[in-house]
Amino acid sequence: MNAPLHDPAHPGDAPRAARVLERVALRATTLGDGLPIRRALPTRQRRMVGAWCFLDHIGPVQLPAGQGLHVGAHPHTGLQTFTWMIEGELLHRDSLGSAQRIRPGQVNLMTAGHGIVHTEDTPPDTARVHAAQLWIALPPAQAGTTPAFEHHPVLPGWTQDGLRCTLLAGRHGPHQAPTQVHTPLLGLDLAAGPQAATTTLALEPGFEYGLLPLQGEVQLGGEALGGDEFAYLGAGHAQLRLALAPGARALLLGGEPFAPPIVMWWNFVGFDRAYLSRAQADWEAGSVRFPRVAGDEGRRLAAPPLPWRAPPA
Ligand code: MN
């Protein structure tokens, strides 16, 4: 179901593979107590875009009266969690003592490193939620780093051809996002106002890219994307033509192809199964590696059984 991508910057000498838009079907799943969401990464078809290794599209959804999104205490390793809030609010709490409400237009960035535990809850006054929740794999030199948490209430923004652009991660033209990442990455939110908007974005030819329509009709290189699709674009492109219908919105991710291969299991990222087995055993044993979340009275999430035989302890 690949469609050719018109790219006037490369009149014919680019590798064929780099000229093709790959459509990845989002996977329906649930979050917390069963809130339906759509997962763009990882899927069988596409595991990563740069170091971005996980992408959930949450909402936009009206929460049933008296119900919210509640994700109990759970651990992470080897990654950063990255929350981009579009509508509604979430309260983040973690084992470092952070307690931070995130509001629309803001980013929470939590570096798990060696180990961290967090909870996420919609406050009682949040009736509608729309967010993108991402993970960024840490490279080997930072994978075991000290855990950290950053809240970014304000991000660089500009208007281009009628599109409101907000830079969430990395660099674009003269703009630099304040979010601390550890590999060359891009995260860029694009929102049309009441008018349709068409623009051409400069790309980094060494990056691969992914585009997630967040709402409304989005066209990439002249190809319309469905709300249940994620578009992947391999490296080798110098620019990208985007068209958004009135009120439409999309998230552009990019990054240098990530190496070495990562292994993901449950909420852990590592470079081999032994590391993940150890992390899971530490979580199950209540190790000091994964401290309590202060102020959290809820249950700790239980990891499902490892899908491989764990080495003897
Ligand atoms: Mn988490």
Side-chain angles (χ1 to χ4, degrees):
M1 171 128 185
N2 287 336
L5 183 75
H6 175 62
D7 186 349
H10 289 263
D13 56 350
R16 190 177 170 78
R19 298 175 58 79
V20 170
L21 167 72
E22 182 184 312
R23 295 167 183 270
V24 179
L26 304 188
R27 187 154 55 92
T29 181
T30 60
L31 193 60
D33 302 327
L35 186 74
I37 56 123
R38 288 168 294 172
R39 184 157 296 160
L41 292 173
T43 64
R44 193 170 299 218
Q45 199 178 339
R46 175 61 44 196
R47 311 297 300 175
M48 300 177 80
V49 173
W52 301 103
C53 62
F54 183 93
L55 169 53
D56 273 353
H57 187 193
I58 303 170
V61 65
Q62 198 72 30
L63 298 170
Q67 286 182 41
L69 173 60
H70 300 288
V71 184
H74 62 279
H76 287 290
T77 63
L79 58 86
Q80 296 177 290
T81 62
F82 190 105
T83 307
W84 170 233
M85 207 71 210
I86 300 163
E87 285 185 74
E89 297 187 7
L90 277 174
L91 172 63
H92 161 94
R93 282 196 282 219
D94 66 40
S95 51
L96 300 173
S98 319
Q100 180 67 57
R101 258 190 195 230
I102 178 174
R103 300 187 164 86
Q106 303 183 340
V107 164
N108 275 355
L109 177 59
M110 182 181 81
T111 303
H114 176 65
I116 199 165
V117 182
H118 75 143
T119 62
E120 286 167 300
D121 297 280
T122 44
D125 54 355
T126 282
R128 192 175 160 82
V129 174
H130 191 192
Q133 183 114 63
L134 302 112
W135 297 355
I136 302 167
L138 289 167
Q142 275 84 29
T145 194
T146 306
F149 176 76
E150 298 171 16
H151 172 66
H152 295 281
V154 179
L155 294 143
W158 66 95
T159 299
Q160 171 177 331
D161 300 325
L163 269 187
R164 185 69 196 157
C165 304
T166 309
L167 188 60
L168 313 182
R171 181 189 298 275
H172 187 83
H175 309 283
Q176 173 75 53
T179 39
Q180 182 94 34
V181 296
H182 300 277
T183 50
L185 280 185
L186 177 76
L188 182 61
D189 180 274
L190 303 143
Q195 309 289 327
T198 298
T199 196
T200 300
L201 288 171
L203 299 185
E204 199 64 60
F207 280 19
E208 54 185 349
Y209 289 90
L211 186 81
L212 178 70
L214 292 170
Q215 60 191 39
E217 192 187 309
V218 176
Q219 284 189 15
L220 188 158
E223 302 289 331
L225 293 174
D228 54 353
E229 285 183 312
F230 177 66
Y232 172 79
L233 192 58
H237 292 270
Q239 60 183 46
L240 184 65
R241 191 95 178 131
L242 270 179
L244 274 70
R249 187 160 192 157
L251 178 62
L252 180 67
L253 303 177
E256 275 182 10
F258 188 88
I262 61 166
V263 188
M264 286 174 65
W265 163 246
W266 193 43
N267 290 301
F268 305 121
V269 168
F271 296 102
D272 58 60
R273 288 181 172 185
Y275 179 88
L276 303 188
S277 300
R278 179 78 257 162
Q280 177 140 334
D282 287 346
W283 172 248
E284 288 171 347
S287 158
V288 292
R289 178 178 183 178
F290 298 115
R292 275 191 72 242
V293 175
D296 176 49
E297 309 299 330
R299 69 198 157 90
R300 278 162 50 105
L301 300 190
L306 286 171
W308 58 80
R309 184 196 286 261

